[in-house]
Amino acid sequence: MADTATTLPPAHGAPRFDVRTILTRYGAWIALALLILVNLAITPNFATWQTLNVNLTQVCAIVIVGVGMTLVIATGGIDLSVGALMAIAGALAPLIFLGKLFLLPHPAIGVALAFIVPVLAAAALGWFNGWLVTRLRIQPIIATLVLFIAGRGIAQVFTNGNLQVFNLPSFQFIGLGRVFGIPFQAVLMIVIVAAAAWMLKRTVFGRQILAIGGNEKAARLSGIPVASVKQRVYLISGLLSGIAGLIVIARNSAADANLVGLGMELDAIAAVAVGGTLLTGGRATVIGTLVGALIIQLVRYTLLANGVPDAAALVAKAAIIVLAVWLQRQGRR
C-alpha cells in the first residue's frame, strides 16, 4: 500500500519555505554576503585592512546622508537637495576657520564654529524644505528641487567659485582622524545609524514617521501633528547632509563647491531603495540603508579593482536599483 502521508497537504499554520519572501526580507544581506565572497575569490588583496579602510571612508558620507533620506522617504517624501546642502556646509566651514568671514580671537574658536555653523545652516535649509512641503503644500520632489538647483549656486557665491585648500588637523579629524585605528567618520556613521534605528523603533516620533508614510490622512485624523513631524524630518535630513559635507572636505583637505556632494542625492536614494525601505513610505530600515550603501560601494569597488571602467559601475548601480524596486513590489503583493 502506498504511503499516503507524503501526499497530504501541510498542516495549517506549518512554516513553508518561500523563496520570494526570503529574497524580499533578506535580499540585501544575501547580496552583500555574495559580494564579499566573490571579492574574496577574484579581487587581489581584498581581505586587507587597506581595502576595508578605502571602502569605509568612501561609504560613510553616503550612509549618513542616507539615514536622513530614509526618514524623509518613510514619510512618503523625497529630498533632492542633500548634495547641495553638503556643498553649502563644505563651503562655509573653511571660510569660518580661515577667518575669511570674520576675525577670530583664537583659532580653536574658528574650528568649533566651523563644526557648528555649517551644520546648523544646512539644518535650517532642511527645515525650509519641510516648510515648503507642509505650509505651501508643494510636492516634495518640487520643493527640494528648489535647493537642488539654487543650493550649489549659493555655495559657489560664498567661495566665488574658487577651490579652498587647507591643512588644519584639528578640523580634518572628522574626515581623517582615527579612534583605536578605526576611522572616526566610521565611528560617527555607526553612532548615527544606531541612534536613528533606535528612534524609529522605540520612540513616539519614530512611530509617527511610519504612520504618516503608511496613511497620512489616517495619521492626521488620529491626532498626529503631521506638519510638525515632516518639518523635523527634513530638518534632520539637512543636518546630516551638513555633517557629511564636513566629512568630505576634511577627507579631501579641500572644499570645491562644484564637486562636494555632487550626485549624492542619487546615491542616497539608491542606498535606501536597495536596503529595503519602501519608496512609497510607511516602512523603513536604517540598518538596511547601511547595507544598501555597502552593496553599492562594493559593486563599484569590485568592478574598478578588476579593471572594469567606472561607467560600468553606473550601469550596475542602476540594475541594482531596478532589482531592489522589483523585490519591493513582490513583497507588497
Side-chain angles (χ1 to χ4, degrees), residues 253-308:
S253 303
D256 187 346
N258 300 301
L259 296 177
V260 173
L262 189 64
M264 180 60 74
E265 58 283 335
L266 301 181
D267 285 340
I269 293 171
V272 172
V274 172
T277 293
L278 285 180
L279 297 180
T280 52
R283 191 182 76 189
T285 165
V286 176
I287 303 298
T289 297
L290 169 63
V291 175
L294 289 172
I295 290 172
I296 292 170
Q297 171 58 28
L298 275 181
V299 167
R300 182 172 183 270
Y301 177 84
T302 303
L303 295 175
L304 292 177
N306 289 278
V308 180

Short mmCIF file of all heavy atoms in Angstrom, two decimals, residues 253-308:
data_model
loop_
_atom_site.label_atom_id
_atom_site.label_comp_id
_atom_site.label_asym_id
_atom_site.label_seq_id
_atom_site.Cartn_x
_atom_site.Cartn_y
_atom_site.Cartn_z
N SER A 253 40.90 67.52 2.19
CA SER A 253 41.74 68.68 2.53
C SER A 253 41.47 69.85 1.58
O SER A 253 42.35 70.68 1.34
CB SER A 253 43.23 68.31 2.48
OG SER A 253 43.50 67.24 3.35
N ALA A 254 40.26 69.91 1.06
CA ALA A 254 39.89 70.99 0.15
C ALA A 254 38.37 71.00 0.02
O ALA A 254 37.70 69.98 0.17
CB ALA A 254 40.53 70.80 -1.22
N ALA A 255 37.84 72.20 -0.27
CA ALA A 255 36.41 72.36 -0.49
C ALA A 255 36.18 72.94 -1.87
O ALA A 255 36.68 74.02 -2.18
CB ALA A 255 35.80 73.27 0.58
N ASP A 256 35.45 72.20 -2.68
CA ASP A 256 35.12 72.64 -4.03
C ASP A 256 33.61 72.64 -4.16
O ASP A 256 32.98 71.58 -4.21
CB ASP A 256 35.75 71.71 -5.07
CG ASP A 256 35.57 72.21 -6.50
OD1 ASP A 256 34.75 73.12 -6.71
OD2 ASP A 256 36.26 71.69 -7.40
N ALA A 257 33.02 73.83 -4.22
CA ALA A 257 31.56 73.94 -4.26
C ALA A 257 30.97 73.28 -5.50
O ALA A 257 29.78 72.96 -5.53
CB ALA A 257 31.15 75.41 -4.21
N ASN A 258 31.79 73.09 -6.52
CA ASN A 258 31.29 72.46 -7.74
C ASN A 258 31.17 70.95 -7.62
O ASN A 258 30.40 70.33 -8.36
CB ASN A 258 32.23 72.78 -8.92
CG ASN A 258 32.35 74.26 -9.18
OD1 ASN A 258 31.36 74.94 -9.44
ND2 ASN A 258 33.56 74.78 -9.08
N LEU A 259 31.92 70.35 -6.69
CA LEU A 259 32.01 68.90 -6.64
C LEU A 259 31.50 68.28 -5.34
O LEU A 259 31.06 67.13 -5.35
CB LEU A 259 33.46 68.45 -6.87
CG LEU A 259 34.06 68.78 -8.25
CD1 LEU A 259 35.52 68.33 -8.30
CD2 LEU A 259 33.25 68.15 -9.36
N VAL A 260 31.58 68.98 -4.22
CA VAL A 260 31.17 68.40 -2.94
C VAL A 260 29.68 68.02 -3.00
O VAL A 260 28.83 68.84 -3.30
CB VAL A 260 31.41 69.38 -1.79
CG1 VAL A 260 30.81 68.84 -0.49
CG2 VAL A 260 32.89 69.63 -1.61
N GLY A 261 29.40 66.77 -2.73
CA GLY A 261 28.02 66.30 -2.71
C GLY A 261 27.40 66.08 -4.07
O GLY A 261 26.21 65.76 -4.16
N LEU A 262 28.18 66.20 -5.13
CA LEU A 262 27.63 66.04 -6.48
C LEU A 262 27.13 64.60 -6.68
O LEU A 262 27.88 63.64 -6.53
CB LEU A 262 28.70 66.37 -7.52
CG LEU A 262 28.24 66.45 -8.98
CD1 LEU A 262 27.26 67.60 -9.16
CD2 LEU A 262 29.43 66.62 -9.91
N GLY A 263 25.87 64.46 -7.02
CA GLY A 263 25.27 63.14 -7.22
C GLY A 263 24.92 62.40 -5.94
O GLY A 263 24.45 61.26 -6.00
N MET A 264 25.13 63.03 -4.79
CA MET A 264 24.89 62.34 -3.52
C MET A 264 23.42 61.99 -3.34
O MET A 264 23.09 60.95 -2.74
CB MET A 264 25.36 63.20 -2.36
CG MET A 264 25.15 62.59 -0.99
SD MET A 264 26.02 61.01 -0.76
CE MET A 264 27.71 61.57 -0.60
N GLU A 265 22.52 62.83 -3.84
CA GLU A 265 21.09 62.54 -3.69
C GLU A 265 20.73 61.21 -4.36
O GLU A 265 19.92 60.44 -3.83
CB GLU A 265 20.23 63.68 -4.25
CG GLU A 265 20.45 64.03 -5.71
CD GLU A 265 21.70 64.84 -5.94
OE1 GLU A 265 22.16 65.54 -5.01
OE2 GLU A 265 22.22 64.78 -7.08
N LEU A 266 21.36 60.91 -5.49
CA LEU A 266 21.08 59.66 -6.20
C LEU A 266 21.66 58.47 -5.45
O LEU A 266 21.03 57.41 -5.33
CB LEU A 266 21.64 59.72 -7.61
CG LEU A 266 21.10 60.86 -8.49
CD1 LEU A 266 21.71 60.80 -9.88
CD2 LEU A 266 19.58 60.80 -8.57
N ASP A 267 22.89 58.63 -4.92
CA ASP A 267 23.49 57.55 -4.14
C ASP A 267 22.68 57.24 -2.89
O ASP A 267 22.50 56.07 -2.52
CB ASP A 267 24.93 57.92 -3.75
CG ASP A 267 25.90 57.81 -4.92
OD1 ASP A 267 25.58 57.11 -5.89
OD2 ASP A 267 26.96 58.45 -4.87
N ALA A 268 22.20 58.30 -2.23
CA ALA A 268 21.43 58.10 -1.01
C ALA A 268 20.10 57.40 -1.30
O ALA A 268 19.70 56.48 -0.58
CB ALA A 268 21.18 59.45 -0.32
N ILE A 269 19.41 57.84 -2.34
CA ILE A 269 18.14 57.21 -2.71
C ILE A 269 18.38 55.75 -3.09
O ILE A 269 17.60 54.86 -2.74
CB ILE A 269 17.46 57.99 -3.85
CG1 ILE A 269 17.03 59.38 -3.35
CG2 ILE A 269 16.24 57.22 -4.37
CD1 ILE A 269 16.56 60.29 -4.46
N ALA A 270 19.45 55.50 -3.83
CA ALA A 270 19.78 54.13 -4.22
C ALA A 270 20.03 53.26 -2.99
O ALA A 270 19.55 52.11 -2.91
CB ALA A 270 21.00 54.12 -5.13
N ALA A 271 20.78 53.77 -2.01
CA ALA A 271 21.06 53.01 -0.80
C ALA A 271 19.78 52.69 -0.04
O ALA A 271 19.59 51.58 0.47
CB ALA A 271 22.02 53.79 0.10
N VAL A 272 18.87 53.66 0.02
CA VAL A 272 17.59 53.46 0.70
C VAL A 272 16.77 52.38 -0.01
O VAL A 272 16.20 51.49 0.63
CB VAL A 272 16.81 54.79 0.76
CG1 VAL A 272 15.40 54.55 1.30
CG2 VAL A 272 17.53 55.80 1.65
N ALA A 273 16.71 52.46 -1.34
CA ALA A 273 15.91 51.51 -2.11
C ALA A 273 16.49 50.10 -2.01
O ALA A 273 15.76 49.13 -1.76
CB ALA A 273 15.84 51.94 -3.57
N VAL A 274 17.80 49.98 -2.19
CA VAL A 274 18.44 48.67 -2.13
C VAL A 274 18.33 48.07 -0.73
O VAL A 274 18.18 46.86 -0.56
CB VAL A 274 19.92 48.78 -2.55
CG1 VAL A 274 20.66 47.46 -2.32
CG2 VAL A 274 20.02 49.19 -4.01
N GLY A 275 18.35 48.94 0.29
CA GLY A 275 18.29 48.46 1.67
C GLY A 275 16.95 47.95 2.12
O GLY A 275 16.84 47.33 3.18
N GLY A 276 15.89 48.21 1.34
CA GLY A 276 14.59 47.64 1.68
C GLY A 276 13.54 48.61 2.18
O GLY A 276 12.42 48.21 2.47
N THR A 277 13.86 49.91 2.29
CA THR A 277 12.85 50.89 2.68
C THR A 277 11.90 51.11 1.52
O THR A 277 12.32 51.30 0.37
CB THR A 277 13.51 52.23 3.06
OG1 THR A 277 14.27 52.04 4.26
CG2 THR A 277 12.47 53.31 3.30
N LEU A 278 10.61 51.08 1.80
CA LEU A 278 9.62 51.30 0.75
C LEU A 278 9.69 52.75 0.26
O LEU A 278 9.61 53.68 1.05
CB LEU A 278 8.21 51.02 1.28
CG LEU A 278 7.81 49.56 1.47
CD1 LEU A 278 6.39 49.47 2.01
CD2 LEU A 278 7.93 48.77 0.18
N LEU A 279 9.82 52.93 -1.05
CA LEU A 279 9.91 54.28 -1.59
C LEU A 279 8.58 55.01 -1.54
O LEU A 279 8.52 56.22 -1.75
CB LEU A 279 10.41 54.22 -3.04
CG LEU A 279 11.83 53.66 -3.21
CD1 LEU A 279 12.24 53.65 -4.68
CD2 LEU A 279 12.84 54.46 -2.40
N THR A 280 7.51 54.29 -1.24
CA THR A 280 6.20 54.91 -1.09
C THR A 280 5.92 55.30 0.35
O THR A 280 4.89 55.91 0.64
CB THR A 280 5.10 53.95 -1.57
OG1 THR A 280 5.27 52.68 -0.92
CG2 THR A 280 5.18 53.76 -3.07
N GLY A 281 6.83 54.98 1.27
CA GLY A 281 6.67 55.36 2.67
C GLY A 281 5.96 54.30 3.49
O GLY A 281 5.40 53.34 2.97
N GLY A 282 6.02 54.48 4.81
CA GLY A 282 5.31 53.59 5.72
C GLY A 282 6.14 52.48 6.31
O GLY A 282 5.77 51.90 7.32
N ARG A 283 7.26 52.16 5.68
CA ARG A 283 8.17 51.15 6.22
C ARG A 283 9.59 51.59 5.96
O ARG A 283 9.91 52.03 4.85
CB ARG A 283 7.92 49.78 5.57
CG ARG A 283 8.65 48.64 6.28
CD ARG A 283 8.42 47.32 5.59
NE ARG A 283 9.21 47.20 4.36
CZ ARG A 283 9.08 46.23 3.47
NH1 ARG A 283 8.13 45.33 3.63
NH2 ARG A 283 9.83 46.18 2.40
N ALA A 284 10.45 51.49 6.97
CA ALA A 284 11.82 51.97 6.82
C ALA A 284 12.77 51.12 7.63
O ALA A 284 12.41 50.62 8.69
CB ALA A 284 11.91 53.43 7.27
N THR A 285 13.96 50.98 7.12
CA THR A 285 15.02 50.26 7.83
C THR A 285 16.34 51.01 7.65
O THR A 285 16.89 51.03 6.54
CB THR A 285 15.15 48.80 7.36
OG1 THR A 285 16.38 48.26 7.82
CG2 THR A 285 15.08 48.68 5.85
N VAL A 286 16.80 51.61 8.71
CA VAL A 286 18.06 52.35 8.66
C VAL A 286 19.24 51.40 8.50
O VAL A 286 20.19 51.69 7.77
CB VAL A 286 18.21 53.22 9.93
CG1 VAL A 286 19.56 53.92 9.94
CG2 VAL A 286 17.10 54.25 10.01
N ILE A 287 19.18 50.26 9.18
CA ILE A 287 20.22 49.25 9.02
C ILE A 287 20.27 48.79 7.56
O ILE A 287 21.34 48.57 6.99
CB ILE A 287 19.98 48.05 9.95
CG1 ILE A 287 19.89 48.49 11.41
CG2 ILE A 287 21.08 47.01 9.77
CD1 ILE A 287 21.14 49.13 11.94
N GLY A 288 19.10 48.66 6.95
CA GLY A 288 19.03 48.29 5.55
C GLY A 288 19.71 49.32 4.66
O GLY A 288 20.37 48.97 3.67
N THR A 289 19.56 50.60 5.00
CA THR A 289 20.22 51.66 4.23
C THR A 289 21.74 51.51 4.32
O THR A 289 22.45 51.70 3.32
CB THR A 289 19.79 53.04 4.75
OG1 THR A 289 18.37 53.19 4.54
CG2 THR A 289 20.52 54.15 4.03
N LEU A 290 22.24 51.18 5.49
CA LEU A 290 23.66 50.92 5.66
C LEU A 290 24.11 49.77 4.76
O LEU A 290 25.12 49.87 4.04
CB LEU A 290 23.96 50.60 7.12
CG LEU A 290 25.36 50.04 7.45
CD1 LEU A 290 26.44 51.06 7.10
CD2 LEU A 290 25.45 49.66 8.92
N VAL A 291 23.34 48.68 4.75
CA VAL A 291 23.67 47.52 3.92
C VAL A 291 23.59 47.90 2.43
O VAL A 291 24.46 47.53 1.63
CB VAL A 291 22.73 46.34 4.22
CG1 VAL A 291 22.98 45.18 3.27
CG2 VAL A 291 22.90 45.89 5.66
N GLY A 292 22.55 48.66 2.06
CA GLY A 292 22.41 49.08 0.68
C GLY A 292 23.57 49.93 0.21
O GLY A 292 24.07 49.76 -0.92
N ALA A 293 24.03 50.84 1.06
CA ALA A 293 25.18 51.68 0.70
C ALA A 293 26.44 50.83 0.54
O ALA A 293 27.25 51.07 -0.37
CB ALA A 293 25.39 52.75 1.76
N LEU A 294 26.62 49.84 1.41
CA LEU A 294 27.78 48.95 1.31
C LEU A 294 27.74 48.15 0.01
O LEU A 294 28.77 47.94 -0.64
CB LEU A 294 27.83 48.01 2.52
CG LEU A 294 28.20 48.65 3.85
CD1 LEU A 294 28.01 47.65 4.99
CD2 LEU A 294 29.65 49.14 3.83
N ILE A 295 26.54 47.69 -0.38
CA ILE A 295 26.41 46.94 -1.63
C ILE A 295 26.82 47.80 -2.82
O ILE A 295 27.60 47.38 -3.68
CB ILE A 295 24.96 46.44 -1.80
CG1 ILE A 295 24.66 45.34 -0.78
CG2 ILE A 295 24.72 45.94 -3.22
CD1 ILE A 295 23.21 44.92 -0.75
N ILE A 296 26.30 49.03 -2.88
CA ILE A 296 26.61 49.92 -4.00
C ILE A 296 28.10 50.22 -4.05
O ILE A 296 28.72 50.21 -5.11
CB ILE A 296 25.78 51.21 -3.87
CG1 ILE A 296 24.30 50.90 -4.09
CG2 ILE A 296 26.25 52.26 -4.87
CD1 ILE A 296 23.38 52.04 -3.76
N GLN A 297 28.69 50.48 -2.88
CA GLN A 297 30.13 50.77 -2.83
C GLN A 297 30.94 49.55 -3.25
O GLN A 297 31.92 49.67 -4.02
CB GLN A 297 30.53 51.21 -1.42
CG GLN A 297 32.02 51.34 -1.19
CD GLN A 297 32.71 52.31 -2.12
OE1 GLN A 297 32.10 53.26 -2.61
NE2 GLN A 297 33.98 52.09 -2.40
N LEU A 298 30.56 48.37 -2.77
CA LEU A 298 31.33 47.16 -3.10
C LEU A 298 31.21 46.79 -4.57
O LEU A 298 32.17 46.29 -5.17
CB LEU A 298 30.86 45.99 -2.23
CG LEU A 298 31.51 45.87 -0.86
CD1 LEU A 298 30.98 44.65 -0.12
CD2 LEU A 298 33.03 45.79 -0.97
N VAL A 299 30.04 47.03 -5.16
CA VAL A 299 29.89 46.78 -6.60
C VAL A 299 30.86 47.66 -7.39
O VAL A 299 31.57 47.20 -8.29
CB VAL A 299 28.44 47.03 -7.05
CG1 VAL A 299 28.35 47.08 -8.58
CG2 VAL A 299 27.52 45.94 -6.53
N ARG A 300 30.89 48.92 -7.03
CA ARG A 300 31.80 49.85 -7.72
C ARG A 300 33.26 49.45 -7.50
O ARG A 300 34.06 49.41 -8.44
CB ARG A 300 31.56 51.28 -7.23
CG ARG A 300 32.43 52.32 -7.91
CD ARG A 300 32.01 53.73 -7.51
NE ARG A 300 32.79 54.71 -8.22
CZ ARG A 300 33.95 55.23 -7.79
NH1 ARG A 300 34.44 54.83 -6.62
NH2 ARG A 300 34.60 56.12 -8.48
N TYR A 301 33.59 49.11 -6.26
CA TYR A 301 34.98 48.73 -5.95
C TYR A 301 35.36 47.45 -6.70
O TYR A 301 36.47 47.35 -7.24
CB TYR A 301 35.15 48.53 -4.45
CG TYR A 301 36.53 48.05 -4.07
CD1 TYR A 301 37.57 48.95 -3.91
CD2 TYR A 301 36.79 46.69 -3.91
CE1 TYR A 301 38.85 48.52 -3.59
CE2 TYR A 301 38.06 46.25 -3.59
CZ TYR A 301 39.09 47.16 -3.43
OH TYR A 301 40.36 46.72 -3.13
N THR A 302 34.45 46.47 -6.73
CA THR A 302 34.74 45.20 -7.40
C THR A 302 35.04 45.42 -8.87
O THR A 302 36.00 44.86 -9.42
CB THR A 302 33.55 44.24 -7.25
OG1 THR A 302 33.26 44.06 -5.86
CG2 THR A 302 33.84 42.90 -7.89
N LEU A 303 34.22 46.23 -9.52
CA LEU A 303 34.42 46.48 -10.95
C LEU A 303 35.73 47.21 -11.21
O LEU A 303 36.50 46.84 -12.10
CB LEU A 303 33.24 47.27 -11.51
CG LEU A 303 31.88 46.54 -11.49
CD1 LEU A 303 30.77 47.47 -11.94
CD2 LEU A 303 31.92 45.30 -12.37
N LEU A 304 35.99 48.25 -10.41
CA LEU A 304 37.22 49.02 -10.62
C LEU A 304 38.46 48.18 -10.31
O LEU A 304 39.46 48.25 -11.04
CB LEU A 304 37.20 50.28 -9.74
CG LEU A 304 36.17 51.36 -10.11
CD1 LEU A 304 36.23 52.49 -9.11
CD2 LEU A 304 36.41 51.88 -11.51
N ALA A 305 38.41 47.39 -9.25
CA ALA A 305 39.56 46.59 -8.86
C ALA A 305 39.88 45.50 -9.87
O ALA A 305 41.01 45.01 -9.93
CB ALA A 305 39.33 45.96 -7.49
N ASN A 306 38.88 45.15 -10.68
CA ASN A 306 39.10 44.11 -11.69
C ASN A 306 39.15 44.67 -13.10
O ASN A 306 38.93 43.95 -14.08
CB ASN A 306 38.00 43.05 -11.58
CG ASN A 306 38.14 42.21 -10.33
OD1 ASN A 306 38.91 41.26 -10.28
ND2 ASN A 306 37.40 42.57 -9.27
N GLY A 307 39.47 45.96 -13.20
CA GLY A 307 39.74 46.57 -14.49
C GLY A 307 38.53 46.95 -15.32
O GLY A 307 38.67 47.22 -16.52
N VAL A 308 37.34 46.99 -14.71
CA VAL A 308 36.14 47.39 -15.45
C VAL A 308 35.98 48.91 -15.34
O VAL A 308 36.13 49.46 -14.25
CB VAL A 308 34.89 46.68 -14.88
CG1 VAL A 308 33.63 47.10 -15.64
CG2 VAL A 308 35.07 45.18 -14.94
#
